[in-house]
């Protein structure tokens, strides 16, 4: 059986390793600004799959997982505080590890002119234009938020639903098969060019 680390493109494997080094061995959010708010927001997401795990596997465990070995994995507000290239790598690796990936994340206010999206971009940790996490948050919004991340990770979105009055999006997605490979993304952008 193939492992996620075997089928993940090398540039994504490098980005995921860099992300794991920076975040710690168990992906704890304690060191990241706004972790309590993100946990609260994650608890409010109307996830379609009840009982699916919310926590990310440890980085080494994620790469060692069999492709498609987890039926459903949910990530809520985990990607936006990461540098965009690392968020794409993490989304791709998670999609390879599971059959269905549910992502809840923020959308850029300029893509949705609603008041909720504009307020989220100014008030939420990691998205506001000041503070420790602001660079990654601005990078996240500049690259198109969750839609840009799905595109950069080569994932296929199966369903979309707006959250928080349009400030966020819940997307169900899978990795796009190519040449009968269960995981390889159909489109891999040069991640260094994304920055």
């Amino acid at each position: 059986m193939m492992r996620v680390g075997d089928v993940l493109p090398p540039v994504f494997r490098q980005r995921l390793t860099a992300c794991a080094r920076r975040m710690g061995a168990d992906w704890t959010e304690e060191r990241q600004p706004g972790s309590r708010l993100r946990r609260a927001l994650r608890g409010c997401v109307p996830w379609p799959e009840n009982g699916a795990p919310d926590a990310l596997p440890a980085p080494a465990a994620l790469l060692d997982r069999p492709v498609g070995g987890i039926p459903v994995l949910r990530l809520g507000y985990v990607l936006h505080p990461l540098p965009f290239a690392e968020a794409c790598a993490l989304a791709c690796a998670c999609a390879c590890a599971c059959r269905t990936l549910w992502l809840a994340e923020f959308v850029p206010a300029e893509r949705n002119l609603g008041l909720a999206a504009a307020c989220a971009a100014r008030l939420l940790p990691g998205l506001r234009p000041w503070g420790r996490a602001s660079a990654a948050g601005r990078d996240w919004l500049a690259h198109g938020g969750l839609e840009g991340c799905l595109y950069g990770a080569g994932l296929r979105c199966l369903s979309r639903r707006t959250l928080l009055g349009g400030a966020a999006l819940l997307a169900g997605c899978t990795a796009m098969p190519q040449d009968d490979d269960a995981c390889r993304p159909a489109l891999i952008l040069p991640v260094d060019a994304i920055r």
Side-chain angles (χ1 to χ4, degrees), residues 30-115:
E30 300 308 319
R31 291 185 274 160
Q32 298 177 23
S35 60
R36 288 185 187 147
L37 177 59
R38 281 201 308 278
R39 275 196 299 272
L41 290 172
R42 192 165 42 236
C44 296
V45 174
W47 298 108
E49 302 280 345
N50 292 331
D54 286 334
L56 285 167
L62 182 61
L63 292 174
D64 286 335
R65 291 261 186 188
V67 171
I70 305 171
V72 179
L73 186 61
R74 306 186 313 197
L75 299 184
Y77 307 101
V78 171
L79 301 174
H80 77 270
L82 300 175
F84 188 76
E86 292 177 11
C88 290
L90 181 58
C92 183
C94 288
C96 288
C98 65
R99 286 180 231 133
T100 303
L101 176 64
W102 289 100
L103 297 168
E105 270 298 352
F106 298 110
V107 295
E110 57 272 7
R111 305 265 169 116
N112 175 1
L113 298 176
L115 181 61

Side-chain angles (χ1 to χ4, degrees), residues 68-173:
I70 305 171
V72 179
L73 186 61
R74 306 186 313 197
L75 299 184
Y77 307 101
V78 171
L79 301 174
H80 77 270
L82 300 175
F84 188 76
E86 292 177 11
C88 290
L90 181 58
C92 183
C94 288
C96 288
C98 65
R99 286 180 231 133
T100 303
L101 176 64
W102 289 100
L103 297 168
E105 270 298 352
F106 298 110
V107 295
E110 57 272 7
R111 305 265 169 116
N112 175 1
L113 298 176
L115 181 61
C119 288
R122 288 289 178 199
L123 301 175
L124 290 173
L127 298 179
R128 61 183 169 223
W130 61 87
R132 293 188 317 198
S134 60
R138 284 192 307 268
D139 193 34
W140 173 259
L141 294 178
H143 283 97
L146 182 57
E147 294 288 354
C149 183
L150 293 177
Y151 181 76
L155 302 181
R156 180 177 62 188
C157 188
L158 303 174
S159 66
R160 291 173 176 83
R161 176 181 177 180
T162 59
L163 303 170
L164 302 176
L169 180 70
L170 175 61
C173 54

